[in-house]
Amino acid sequence: MTFGLNPMNQRPDSMVEDSLEFKDFLPFMAMRLGPEGLIEELCKGFRLLMDTMKGVITLESLRRNAVRLGLEGLADDELLGMLREGDLDEDGALDQTEFCILMFRLSPELMQGSRRMLDEALGMGLSSVVL
């Protein structure tokens, strides 16, 4: 998945010089927002994807948001694989903490270079940031 540096840029994503992969994007966001701001943005992302009735990201909510994520072509088993990747308690869904941990895990550079920031952010309590 790539994120264009300039959202107004109309050139295709295949032009690598104008895009970042997620693993590069999250450290950039962490530098810009700081620990509290990064966690707040991740929690906003979680709220966009979650099933509002259940308060978690489910297969159904992920399927509903597939177009928003650029995943419209993925089969249910592929979406389930994505859920399983972050589902630490194996309940078939992602809660807010699991989602944030997964986002950090998808960015190895951030995990290697920002242990202090993660500890700081988790220390402030995710529940105080959202919901």
Side-chain angles (χ1 to χ4, degrees):
M1 178 180 296
T2 59
F3 297 91
L5 290 173
N6 180 355
M8 302 307 287
N9 188 341
Q10 299 300 312
R11 291 188 283 179
D13 281 343
S14 62
M15 299 188 78
V16 177
E17 70 271 12
D18 288 341
S19 61
L20 290 172
E21 290 189 22
F22 180 79
K23 66 181 181 149
D24 301 318
F25 183 70
L26 195 60
F28 172 76
M29 292 296 294
M31 282 185 349
R32 302 267 308 181
L33 299 173
E36 188 174 319
L38 177 62
I39 294 297
E40 188 175 326
E41 288 302 312
L42 288 174
C43 291
K44 286 178 186 177
F46 171 79
R47 287 192 304 268
L48 286 173
L49 299 175
M50 76 176 190
D51 179 313
T52 56
M53 300 298 286
K54 297 178 181 178
V56 293
I57 297 173
T58 63
L59 174 61
E60 294 78 24
S61 68
L62 195 54
R63 192 184 302 132
R64 251 191 331 271
N65 289 292
V67 172
R68 181 182 281 173
L69 297 170
L71 305 174
E72 59 272 0
L74 294 184
D76 281 357
D77 62 325
E78 293 171 301
L79 294 173
L80 274 172
M82 293 173 66
L83 282 175
R84 286 187 193 114
E85 179 75 24
D87 187 9
L88 301 175
D89 61 8
E90 299 180 353
D91 66 353
L94 296 180
D95 63 28
Q96 182 174 274
T97 301
E98 290 171 325
F99 176 78
C100 290
I101 290 169
L102 177 61
M103 294 299 103
F104 274 87
R105 283 180 41 218
L106 291 174
S107 181
E109 180 186 324
L110 186 63
M111 287 300 294
Q112 293 169 1
S114 302
R115 181 72 184 172
R116 179 195 53 75
M117 183 171 59
L118 178 61
D119 290 340
E120 234 179 85
L122 293 174
M124 69 183 216
L126 291 175
S127 60
S128 67
V129 177
V130 297
L131 304 179

